[in-house]
Amino acid sequence: MPEQLLFAMEVTLNGLMAGVLYALVALGFVLIFKASGIFNFAQGMLVVFAAMTLVGVQQGQVPFAHLINTIFGTKVHDFGWTVPTFLAIIVAGAAMVFVAWIIEKYILHHLVGQPDIILFMATIGMWYFMHGFAPLMWGSEVMKLDVGLAQGLNDPVLNATEALFGYGFFLDNLDIVAAVIAAILVASLVLFSQYTKQGRAMRAVADDHQAALSVGISLRFIWVLVWSLAGVVALVAGIMWGSKSGVQISLAEVALKALPVLMLGGCTSIPGAIIGGLIIGVGEQLFEFAIGPLVGGATQAWFAYVLALIFLIFRPQGLFGEKIIERV
Amino acid sequence: MKMKKLAAAAVATLMVGAPAMAELVFPSLSYRTGPFAAGGIPYADGYADYFTLLNERDGGIGGVKVSVPECETAYNTEKGVECYESTKGMGALLYNPLSTGITYQLIPKATADDIPLYTPGYGRTSAANGNVFSHVFNFPANYWNGASAAVNYVLSLNNGSLEGKKITLLHFNGAYGKEPIPTLTKLAEKHGFEFNAIPVDYPGQEQKSQWLQIRREKPDYVLFWGWGVMNQVAIQEAANIRFPMENFIGVWWSGAEHDVTPAGAAANGYKAVAFHGVGSDYPVFDDIQKYVVDSGKAAGNGTNVGTVIYNRGVYAAMLVAEAARKAQEIHGTADITSSMMRDGLEQLEITDARMKELGMEGFGPAFSVSCENHGGPGTAAISQWDASAGKWSLITEFAPSDMDVIQPLIDADSAAYAAENNIAPQCK
């Protein structure tokens, strides 16, 4: 088999894996948009906050240590204990539920009935607030995230492709784990929304707030539920991305990777987020492989948006988005 | 009403009192927030703590206290320029903008305002030509020195020959990251190695395709010009593809503790070019601990003392302080102006004996600055990360870079700048 074809196959495989990671971030956007029509600009910061909380709890770090030390002249930094990973994940998940409750109680509750653009602006405000609040709570240092996930070259894939093609493919163990977790997450979310009472209520709210209210569904509960789910998805995305780079404020930038996925997959479809992520992942990696060297490289940042725009021209609602028809 | 009177009296007292309290003002354009805060915080802490040490231990410089007002730039060029404009009226003697982008914007402004810029290890490399850049100083080393130092080191590992070797530069896709390309291109011609550059766009959170390309092309060495999250991801990806970590060499902005710790043991052996000492095994840090940290006057919580970027802040502050001392000596006054400060920088002389007096023996090279040479000696060493010990160590001496290649590049770039801006040579 020609060498270039083998390389292209390897790039495609890795593009699919990168796409899964993009999709993990996009899922959080989709959940909130689907249920409330809010495009949550702060989703990237939820990823940061969730990951910081996980590491902070895991390492027994004192929240707001810098602030406490400045005010009281103390020198506290950590409690002197570490928390088992599983327990730390549970605590971080609970923290995200608490954040969801705070957001509903103090922001969204006061904006019921406001135009979508107002809700969108509120999430921009939340982004900026959390951008300051997260480092204030956990510090600005790069935090090492270790939840025991394997990283690096996957030897079975390497050996199998070496034996088959004479060229061993690179595949990151962490990407394989991310793909499995994403599949479980999507399946769970689909089952939850299809087969549980709360899930059906969530879909009802997504279809029509007023109608849902009229049959006794609590809008407040559904919003807390949806933001909690988005927070948990953010925690999963934070674990995956944070394992690669350490946890730091720039993790919020991964949201930029989710935007073309949403444009392509549609803002209201969970499977759309996955398919969109895969198309963007493969598209940008193959483009960089084939065309990147001819145009100076580093094409991924903009090519994903070009690809999404092309789809948008032909299908504005995205591949799986709902086409909204308004009758006069 | 009573409160208003009290407040007015307090303000009046401050206004009357201000001119009497002469201070040497060195604004710190820091970034403690934003995506690059992990690097900005220790630098700002080191820079501030050294001046605090001088105030607490020596009563300032030449008997005049030092003031280091901080202005947050978040590593944003527009904010950096705003910081410059808002602080220059405080009697600023010098700016250390800590950003190549901000430096480029400030060069014409600061020159017009007669305020020197000090950009150690960053900024516009050709500013080393003092004949053109009268108010910019970038001693003791610049990016091109760094690139040359890395190649010299690789040469030393290969018995002085790089014929047939392949070197890849993985770099931030911006002005900073592209700086070493001309030097490395020339060095490739000179030493016969194959050179290619692979850019990574901001922020560098995703580098899969770049590292797949490196895996396919199998370079012998990868040089690295990154900053922020790009550093941590690159080191992890290098480990992922099993690239030999000892053949992966970053510039000094890609070689701090926070760059390697997320990858854990996998980062062991990673190297970085350094233009100053590492660790806290120098007497100056004992003084910082005693006079600054223990007395609760540190800019941070004291945990950064002795880390790579903190040390860089300390080193920059020390050289600024020595230049201020020189300016006081030249002009016979302790209360110097920014113009005098520029003269002090231009006539700065750092000897080994002085470094020992300062408690920094061997921390940096001995050198002198001149009207023509604002770039200093251009010496650099190689440091290496020991993951099990959790520390950086210098594995080479500070050695000169290849000025036969670098000087013509400096001359050409600065001549182009002089022509564009109608700048006449300043040195007689």
Side-chain angles (χ1 to χ4, degrees):
Chain A
M1 199 178 282
E3 201 177 42
Q4 287 301 313
L5 184 60
L6 289 173
F7 291 159
M9 286 165 66
E10 183 188 35
V11 166
T12 304
L13 192 60
N14 279 277
L16 287 169
M17 294 296 154
V20 170
L21 285 170
Y22 301 161
L24 271 179
V25 184
L27 266 179
F29 283 94
V30 169
L31 281 169
I32 291 173
F33 191 86
K34 195 173 162 58
S36 59
I38 299 171
F39 186 86
N40 179 24
F41 189 84
Q43 187 64 28
M45 280 314 303
L46 287 181
V47 172
V48 173
F49 185 77
M52 279 186 166
T53 304
L54 169 60
V55 182
V57 170
Q58 197 182 20
Q59 295 178 352
Q61 203 177 318
V62 176
F64 305 106
H66 188 74
L67 191 66
I68 292 167
N69 293 339
T70 305
I71 295 172
F72 301 106
T74 51
K75 286 186 178 174
V76 298
H77 183 256
D78 54 59
F79 292 110
W81 67 63
T82 54
V83 174
T85 300
F86 182 71
L87 192 58
I89 291 174
I90 300 285
V91 173
M96 297 315 292
V97 173
F98 181 66
V99 168
W101 180 76
I102 294 277
I103 288 171
E104 197 286 329
K105 184 171 174 64
Y106 293 104
I107 301 172
L108 300 181
H109 181 63
H110 302 283
L111 298 175
V112 173
Q114 295 293 325
D116 290 347
I117 187 68
I118 300 296
L119 293 163
F120 174 64
M121 296 302 279
T123 67
I124 293 178
M126 281 159 50
W127 190 94
Y128 278 101
F129 174 78
M130 293 181 82
H131 191 269
F133 185 78
L136 184 71
M137 188 167 174
W138 297 114
S140 298
E141 291 82 14
V142 180
M143 303 161 92
K144 179 174 165 53
L145 175 63
D146 184 2
V147 291
L149 297 177
Q151 284 203 64
L153 197 53
N154 182 276
D155 285 317
V157 172
L158 179 81
N159 296 334
T161 48
E162 179 80 55
L164 207 57
F165 307 118
Y167 172 74
F169 285 8
F170 170 82
L171 198 60
D172 189 349
N173 282 314
L174 185 71
D175 288 346
I176 297 172
V177 174
V180 172
I181 290 177
I184 294 170
L185 203 60
V186 169
S188 308
L189 287 170
V190 169
L191 290 174
F192 175 80
S193 64
Q194 297 289 339
Y195 298 108
T196 66
K197 187 181 167 190
Q198 287 79 10
R200 282 194 293 270
M202 205 169 82
R203 285 164 54 211
V205 171
D207 281 345
D208 190 326
H209 290 181
Q210 297 299 328
L213 277 170
S214 69
V215 294
I217 294 171
S218 164
L219 196 58
R220 296 187 66 175
F221 172 75
I222 294 300
W223 275 7
V224 171
L225 177 68
V226 166
W227 279 78
S228 300
L229 287 174
V232 171
V233 170
L235 176 61
V236 174
I239 291 171
M240 295 304 156
W241 284 94
S243 295
K244 282 170 173 277
S245 62
V247 177
Q248 50 190 306
I249 203 78
S250 58
L251 211 56
E253 309 274 350
V254 298
L256 293 175
K257 286 289 183 187
L259 295 183
V261 173
L262 293 169
M263 288 160 72
L264 203 148
C267 290
T268 53
S269 167
I270 291 172
I274 298 295
I275 303 295
L278 296 179
I279 293 173
I280 291 288
V282 172
E284 68 173 24
Q285 299 287 332
L286 274 178
F287 188 82
E288 175 66 21
F289 169 70
I291 311 293
L294 306 176
V295 295
T299 58
Q300 301 101 310
W302 56 267
F303 181 73
Y305 285 89
V306 172
L307 193 62
L309 273 172
I310 292 169
F311 271 85
L312 215 55
I313 290 167
F314 295 103
R315 200 173 158 79
Q317 70 272 35
L319 280 177
F320 297 87
E322 291 163 7
K323 192 167 189 176
I324 297 167
I325 300 166
E326 290 186 9
R327 294 188 174 81
V328 178
Chain B
M1 196 63 197
K2 198 173 180 181
M3 282 302 289
K4 276 185 182 174
K5 280 181 182 172
L6 276 173
V11 170
T13 309
L14 279 174
M15 287 174 73
V16 171
M21 295 186 289
E23 281 182 331
L24 303 174
V25 181
F26 298 115
S28 173
L29 305 194
S30 59
Y31 43 95
R32 293 180 181 277
T33 65
F36 302 102
I41 290 170
Y43 191 97
D45 286 352
Y47 196 67
D49 285 354
Y50 186 78
F51 288 121
T52 305
L53 170 68
L54 296 186
N55 283 342
E56 296 301 311
R57 187 190 61 189
D58 308 338
I61 302 171
V64 185
K65 292 269 187 180
V66 181
S67 163
V68 188
E70 273 199 37
C71 186
E72 173 67 33
T73 70
Y75 200 66
N76 176 294
T77 299
E78 288 76 26
K79 283 187 187 170
V81 174
E82 283 172 23
C83 279
Y84 170 83
E85 295 293 350
S86 65
T87 54
K88 72 178 181 186
M90 301 166 87
L93 297 179
L94 170 142
Y95 282 90
N96 173 7
L98 198 52
S99 150
T100 295
I102 298 172
T103 301
Y104 269 71
Q105 292 298 312
L106 291 188
I107 287 173
K109 285 176 182 291
T111 305
D113 293 337
D114 199 12
I115 301 174
L117 295 179
Y118 179 47
T119 64
Y122 68 90
R124 185 170 188 136
T125 303
S126 65
N129 184 355
N131 223 346
V132 173
F133 295 93
S134 59
H135 285 70
V136 191
F137 298 82
N138 56 3
F139 53 78
N142 57 50
Y143 293 135
W144 296 349
N145 301 133
S148 172
V151 171
N152 281 347
Y153 174 67
V154 171
L155 270 166
S156 73
L157 296 179
N158 290 275
N159 301 317
S161 172
L162 291 176
E163 286 289 339
K165 297 287 182 190
K166 201 186 276 187
I167 297 180
T168 290
L169 171 71
L170 183 74
H171 67 93
F172 178 75
N173 195 24
Y176 151 65
K178 290 175 181 172
E179 277 278 333
I181 293 176
T183 312
L184 290 170
T185 305
K186 288 284 180 194
L187 288 169
E189 287 168 14
K190 181 174 176 177
H191 297 294
F193 62 84
E194 191 184 327
F195 168 67
N196 73 323
I198 302 178
V200 177
D201 259 335
Y202 171 84
Q205 195 94 48
E206 227 300 301
Q207 299 176 27
K208 187 75 74 193
S209 61
Q210 285 83 359
W211 284 96
L212 284 177
Q213 187 180 344
I214 288 169
R215 187 169 179 266
R216 288 194 300 269
E217 293 175 354
K218 298 185 178 67
D220 296 287
Y221 298 93
V222 173
L223 307 185
F224 180 43
W225 252 246
W227 187 226
V229 69
M230 184 182 162
N231 289 351
Q232 294 92 39
V233 173
I235 291 165
Q236 182 62 59
E237 291 288 4
N240 287 350
I241 69 160
R242 295 179 188 163
F243 186 81
M245 208 50 86
E246 64 276 10
N247 292 353
F248 187 21
I249 306 168
V251 72
W252 37 73
W253 298 114
S254 306
E257 288 80 359
H258 59 256
D259 294 327
V260 284
T261 43
N268 189 52
Y270 172 70
K271 292 169 181 167
V273 183
F275 65 85
H276 56 76
V278 296
S280 58
D281 196 15
Y282 299 88
V284 70
F285 294 109
D286 297 335
D287 281 358
I288 287 175
Q289 190 67 40
K290 180 180 168 187
Y291 291 98
V292 183
V293 178
D294 292 346
S295 62
K297 293 187 171 70
N301 59 9
T303 54
N304 285 324
V305 177
T307 60
V308 172
I309 307 282
Y310 180 92
N311 285 11
R312 193 162 303 149
V314 168
Y315 188 46
M318 181 277 285
L319 293 172
V320 168
E322 289 304 296
R325 218 181 293 278
K326 175 59 93 175
Q328 290 172 332
E329 181 191 316
I330 300 167
H331 292 281
T333 174
D335 194 11
I336 56 173
T337 64
S338 61
S339 181
M340 295 173 186
M341 183 69 201
R342 197 209 73 86
D343 296 342
L345 286 157
E346 203 160 81
Q347 294 181 45
L348 179 65
E349 189 177 1
I350 298 291
T351 62
D352 287 331
R354 182 62 184 151
M355 289 294 281
K356 190 174 181 181
E357 279 172 25
L358 294 167
M360 300 176 83
E361 187 179 14
F363 193 84
F367 66 94
S368 56
V369 186
S370 68
C371 180
E372 291 83 7
N373 181 7
H374 284 192
T379 52
I382 301 295
S383 60
Q384 188 169 31
W385 175 248
D386 179 342
S388 56
K391 66 172 191 179
W392 288 93
S393 306
L394 292 185
I395 56 168
T396 71
E397 297 292 320
F398 288 98
S401 47
D402 191 343
M403 292 309 290
D404 291 344
V405 168
I406 296 170
Q407 194 59 51
L409 292 170
I410 289 175
D411 293 342
D413 193 67
S414 54
Y417 183 85
E420 278 170 26
N421 296 280
N422 296 320
I423 296 172
Q426 67 138 351
C427 304
K428 302 282 183 266

